[in-house]
Each structure stands twice: as structure tokens, then as C-alpha cells.
Amino acid sequence: MKKGFAIVMATMLAVSAGCTAKQETATTEKGKAEKKVLRLNNGKEPTSFDPPIGFDNVSWVPLNNLGEGLTRLGKTHKPEAAAAESWKVSPDGKTYTFKLRKDAKWSNGEPVTAKDFEFAWKRMLSPELASSAAFLAYFIEGAEEYNTGKGSVDNVKIKAVGDYELEVVLTSPQAFFLSVISNPSFFPVPQKIVEKDPNWFKEAATFVGNGPFKLTKWEHGSEMVFEKNKHYWDNKSVKLDEIKWAMVNDVKTEYQMYKTGELDVSSVPAELAEKLLKDGEAKAEDQAGIEFYRFNLKQAPFQNAKIRQAFAMSIDQAKIAQYVKRAGQKPAYGFVGFGFKDANGKDFRQTSGDLLKTDTTKAKQLLEEGMKEENYKTLPEVTLTYNTSDTNKPVAEAIQQMIKESLGVDIKLANMEWNVFSTEQKAGKFQFSRGSFLADYGDPVNFLENFTTDNSMNRTSWSSTQFDELIAKSKKEGDEKKRFEYLYEAEKLLMKDASIVPLYFYNQVYLQQEKVTGVVRHPVGYLELKWADLK
């Protein structure tokens, strides 16, 4: 997600789980009937409902239920036929020909066509749009060249053949292609509407989608209302009549709303997670994501690799997971999460091993050596910056204390609201700052590609030609065994240079009333409500 995006953990958990189910009485032509209304908490205002711009979890979760791509992740988290009813793959594995459903409609009743997909995908790649998600499409022939200004849109191998057939040519066979295109960034957009009204996605009155629900109300910063989309091709599977979304960006407040009956599902305050999980009241599910911190190599003292390594080794991931987060998170000693199988069927994380471990003795030694290399008599002042959140603050304070105890270095803490934080981080304004990542699709390369030189998620100024080449080779390699060898080597290089400090891998911890059923929480971060129901 990712992806380009560090996301408030409290918000991520809220959108993954915060909801209230309510049966409301609605008058119909047949008399009185129970109207199924599910109330959700999105945490905060979505960044954008323009699919390639809303490249973060607070936008993805609602977007995933307002639209859908050629494929959609099913109940087992695997890609299934969606707007495309079928597809064929060429013998060399590079050309995909999708057959679209003729009953796929926009929420205004107009047909969804292959031309809408061609327009949407090429629009995502356009340099003018500057979508943070564009890199996800680089496996399509001509896509990277067009997006980086080195090629023409005419050379991008995405082509509508009539109204209901889309042909896509890849640079090489990609085992994860069908998963990638389930990402909301690959959703179609209605070409006629977009060209007529560039702001079509900003208000409920003008928004058009092709998913299970349609946007009927949007009070910015306060509330959204979705209704079942009668034009959705598979509307018979949709059980809910309506979804109401609040925007409460505080886990404790959300939890209190749950306790008082205002919410039917809630994320869990860190201080209560351990007890609620032990009592069986809270549930936990895997999530493909990681919390980490970035060093800025263009700001002293982190231009020095040994100083970066010293700071990284002074942080105890296990203690942060066990005593600060306290919700069953796994400490991270590499960047790629658990659950990804290599060509031999082995877990990537377990095979790659622990690449960064706490070692305070080594950390002190490296700090001394690094300071000597830079001719520092005293270390330049260091500020750790995080986005304001009741869950981010204790982690930052724990890191501050660990660095003090291990290295004798006092660092300052600073925090700011998400929008300001994100803008400043992307502009390279911070020395040492919080990062988070939720996978955009289910493959280790999605984690690692964030740190290629020009990736919008890098934000460290770290650049390695060797690393870039390994990622590029992995994307072009058709032999899965060789592809994973490149990825293993790339992760080791990333962790050795210590431009980042991994902390812990995410999970989804939530409380949910028994009457809410059918909600699917995909490990890659989407909340799926297509099959949600109320008993």
C-alpha cells in the first residue's frame, strides 16, 4: 500500500474493524420490513475516492466496497473473477485477455466497458496525475517508461478490443498479477464522467462506482452513507441495505462507543488488548504489514551507516511488541512479513531469518566508530517524529528510552497531525521518523520495492544500484526459484545498510458482536463487506 503511505495504526485498526450493526425499520411497498444497516468507523476522512489517488487504508477500505477491478479478493483472500468473468493467458505467460461481464454496470446504470479500464489504467500511469500507486503497474509493458516521462502512452500495452475485451501485455510472467489488479488503484473509472467533470470523485452527488455499494451521502470529516448498489452484477450476494461510516480517530473513544452500544465492532486500546485476547472477547487476525522507523540519510548524523546501525541495534523489538503493543504482534527482524511462501513452499520470513537483532554492546561500538569517522565530538541533536496518535506515542517514548539506556543519547520527540506529517516526510524534512506499510498485494517484492531509489515510499534518501537491480531482475524473472533468490538477497542488503528500523508486524485485533457475520478482513488491508450480514 500500499502504497505510498505511513498510516496511523489506530486508524488502520479502526477502519479494519470499527463498526456498528443495527436493524432499522424501513417502509416498503409490501409494508414494514427490517432494513439491515451496518455502522462503521473509518477513523478519519478518506484521502480521496479517486482510485489511483486514494492510495492508503483510510481510502482503500471504503473504496473496496464502492468499486471493483477485473478481479476481487475472495473469502480465502485469493483473486477471483469480478468485473471480468474470465481470462486467457498466452503460453509465454505475458499476455492476458480479459472478457468483461456484460451485466457489469456503474452505479448510475451505465455499462462498465473495457475502454473504461484502459482509460483508468493509463490515467493512473500519466505523469500529470502523479499517482503514488503508478509503480504497481510497472510490470505492464511500456508502463514505467510512460510514467517516468521516457515513453509514450501509445506504447503502454493496455488495449480495449471492443467494449468487453481487454488485452494486457506484461514485461515478463508475473505469478501475482491477478492479485495486484484487485487493488483499488486498478479499479475502472467512468471515462465519460471523468472527462466531463474532473472533480467527480469529491462528492456523493457526482461519485460513480461499480462495486457492491454506492455512495449516497458524504459529510466531509463527519459521516458517509453507502447503500446497496442495485446495478451491481452480483447484488444478490449483498445482504446489507446500508452502511453508515463515522470518522472517530481515537481508539479509546471508539472502544467506549462499543461498550455503550453505539458500535458493534471496535478496535482495541493497547492497554486492554492482552486481557481481552486472553478472555476470548477480542479476536486477532493476520495482517500483511509492518511498523518501522526511517532514517534520513541526508540529515546528520544519519549519513553515517554505523550510526544508523547503532541506533537500530539499540532498539528492542521484542519488548515493544510484548510490553508496549501487547496485542500479539510479532517483533520484526526483517522487512518482509510472515505468510509468503517461496518456490520451495517455505515461509519467506523464516528462510530469510533475523537480519537485525538487538545488540547494545555492538551498538555502542558502532556509535563510537561512526562518530570518529564523522569527526564528531558530540552527536548532532536528533529528533524522532511521529504522526499524532494515542498508539504511536508510547512506541516513540519506548524508542527514546531504549536509545538513552543503550547509547546514552538523548533524543527529542515531535508529533504532528497526519496530513502535515505525511507532506513533511515526503519532502525529506525529518531526521528519524515513523513509517508503516500495508501490502498492496500478496508477494514479498511488494514490501521490498518500496526502497528502490525513486519509489515514493522510500523517503530515506537511501539509494543502492545493486538493490534496484535485484528488484528489477525479480520482476522480470519467470523462474520462481531464481526470483526468490533475488528477493532474499535484496532484503539482506536493505537491512545491512540500515536505512530503516523494523519494529513489529501488524495484526488485526478487534471486538465484534455475534450478530455481525460475513465481514472478511483481508491480510493486505481491505475490509470486504460484500458478504456481510446481520443475524
Side-chain angles (χ1 to χ4, degrees), residues 386-407:
Y386 61 94
N387 52 301
T388 307
S389 163
D390 58 348
T391 60
N392 294 339
K393 182 180 180 182
V395 174
E397 290 174 338
I399 293 173
Q400 180 187 44
Q401 182 179 352
M402 290 173 180
I403 291 172
K404 171 65 175 177
E405 292 177 353
S406 299
L407 302 178

Side-chain angles (χ1 to χ4, degrees), residues 202-257:
K202 292 185 178 181
E203 303 293 342
T206 54
F207 182 85
V208 177
N210 70 321
F213 299 91
K214 64 177 181 178
L215 179 63
T216 57
K217 181 180 179 182
W218 190 358
E219 293 183 3
H220 295 283
S222 177
E223 183 188 33
M224 297 180 293
V225 178
F226 293 3
E227 292 181 3
K228 180 176 179 177
N229 179 11
K230 67 180 182 180
H231 296 295
Y232 180 55
W233 68 271
D234 192 25
N235 63 68
K236 65 181 183 299
S237 295
V238 181
K239 305 297 191 299
L240 298 175
D241 296 301
E242 192 171 278
I243 305 169
K244 292 185 177 180
W245 304 76
M247 300 178 193
V248 178
N249 188 18
D250 182 84
V251 178
K252 293 179 181 177
T253 301
E254 182 188 1
Y255 176 70
Q256 288 302 318
M257 292 171 71

Side-chain angles (χ1 to χ4, degrees), residues 99-134:
K99 182 180 179 182
L100 272 66
R101 300 179 186 277
K102 292 185 178 180
D103 57 350
K105 307 286 186 183
W106 292 107
S107 52
N108 63 4
E110 294 293 317
V112 177
T113 70
K115 293 177 182 178
D116 289 323
F117 274 96
E118 178 183 354
F119 174 77
W121 290 16
K122 289 181 176 178
R123 177 175 174 267
M124 174 177 66
L125 289 165
S126 67
E128 294 77 19
L129 190 66
S131 167
S132 297

Side-chain angles (χ1 to χ4, degrees), residues 16-62:
S16 297
C19 31
T20 293
K22 184 178 180 182
Q23 297 278 11
E24 295 186 351
T25 303
T27 302
T28 69
E29 294 179 359
K30 297 180 180 180
K32 294 290 184 178
E34 289 298 314
K35 185 177 181 182
K36 295 182 177 181
V37 180
L38 183 67
R39 301 180 192 274
L40 305 178
N41 177 31
N42 197 53
K44 59 181 180 179
E45 174 81 1
T47 305
S48 176
F49 276 168
D50 187 357
I53 300 300
F55 191 57
D56 51 45
N57 205 52
V58 293
S59 302
W60 274 357
V61 172

Side-chain angles (χ1 to χ4, degrees), residues 519-530:
V519 176
V520 178
R521 294 170 176 85
H522 297 302
V524 293
Y526 319 143
L527 187 68
E528 180 60 72
L529 303 171
K530 175 178 176 177

